């Protein structure tokens, strides 16, 4: 998905992955949260030092520049997109670097087999089964073991 913009000459620019740019308020909120006293205490407790929050501030400034120019400041937009890509790669580093588990291409063949009897009995009066019953019949669910509680207000 791409975003198409026109400059003053009428030529069109296409910014690839513009869908990954979040609303600018999100970057400001993340920066404010990162620099708060509570976050600094948490960072010190977890990492032993404060975390650098300048990237959130840079993303906010670039996002505002991109939005205020109606998408014509492609450098600012691309900077935010690159930052989002880096953030995504860091987040999935453990997933992509996993060499212990083999990733599946298809679900197991018996993924939809019925539950064992003991498990069926355990969940026969669960919220999910009552909700499914309600949806199928189009009426209010009736609990099988209705209990009465005394409520004093």
């Amino acid at each position: 998905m791409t975003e198409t913009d026109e400059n003053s000459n009428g030529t069109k620019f296409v910014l690839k992955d513009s869908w990954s740019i979040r609303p600018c308020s999100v970057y400001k909120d993340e920066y404010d949260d990162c620099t708060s006293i509570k976050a600094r205490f948490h960072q010190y407790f977890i990492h032993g030092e404060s975390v650098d929050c300048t990237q959130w501030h840079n993303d906010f400034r670039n996002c505002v520049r991109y939005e205020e120019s109606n998408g014509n400041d492609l450098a600012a937009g691309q900077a935010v997109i690159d930052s989002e890509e880096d953030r995504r790669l860091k987040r999935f580093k453990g997933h992509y670097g996993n060499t212990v588990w083999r990733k599946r291409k298809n679900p197991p063949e018996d993924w939809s087999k019925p539950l064992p009897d003991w498990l069926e009995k355990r969940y026969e009066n669960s919220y999910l089964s009552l909700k499914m019953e309600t949806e199928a019949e189009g009426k209010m669910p009736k609990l099988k073991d209705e209990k009465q509680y005394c409520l004093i207000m």
Side-chain angles (χ1 to χ4, degrees):
M1 187 173 195
T2 59
E3 183 175 313
T4 305
D5 298 313
E6 288 188 27
N7 69 359
S8 58
N9 300 335
T11 56
K12 292 192 174 197
F13 297 103
V14 176
L15 190 57
K16 190 174 189 280
D17 294 333
S18 63
W19 59 268
S20 66
I21 298 176
R22 305 182 210 183
C24 297
S25 61
V26 172
Y27 297 111
K28 177 149 181 38
D29 291 343
E30 289 286 353
Y31 176 71
D32 291 344
D33 182 52
C34 185
T35 56
S36 71
I37 299 292
K38 181 180 177 183
R40 292 298 186 185
F41 181 75
H42 179 75
Q43 294 163 7
Y44 185 73
F45 182 76
I46 298 298
H47 303 290
E49 61 186 4
S50 294
V51 175
D52 183 20
C53 302
T54 55
Q55 190 58 46
W56 288 116
H57 188 62
N58 292 341
D59 289 345
F60 171 67
R61 285 194 335 234
N62 285 327
C63 181
V64 169
R65 280 185 21 219
Y66 180 72
E67 292 290 324
E68 286 178 350
S69 70
N70 292 325
N72 288 330
D73 191 347
L74 298 179
Q78 191 60 47
V80 176
I81 291 170
D82 292 342
S83 176
E84 287 289 340
E85 180 66 22
D86 289 344
R87 197 172 290 119
R88 198 171 14 262
L89 288 175
K90 284 179 189 172
R91 181 172 173 229
F92 287 121
K93 183 179 178 182
H95 172 72
Y96 292 132
N98 178 18
T99 58
V100 176
W101 299 100
R102 194 170 28 105
K103 293 179 178 66
R104 271 191 263 202
K105 304 248 188 273
N106 299 317
E109 291 179 17
D110 62 346
W111 71 272
S112 63
K113 71 179 182 181
L115 294 174
D117 291 336
W118 64 271
L119 197 54
E120 279 285 341
K121 184 167 176 52
R122 182 175 173 189
Y123 290 113
E124 70 185 6
N125 198 24
S126 69
Y127 176 77
L128 183 59
S129 69
L130 292 173
K131 190 68 175 167
M132 288 174 54
E133 209 174 277
T134 306
E135 292 290 326
E137 298 172 6
K139 62 180 183 177
M140 293 296 294
K142 293 182 181 176
L143 295 174
K144 293 176 176 81
D145 293 333
E146 288 192 40
K147 296 179 182 174
Q148 295 181 359
Y149 297 98
C150 179
L151 179 63
I152 301 172
M153 298 183 109

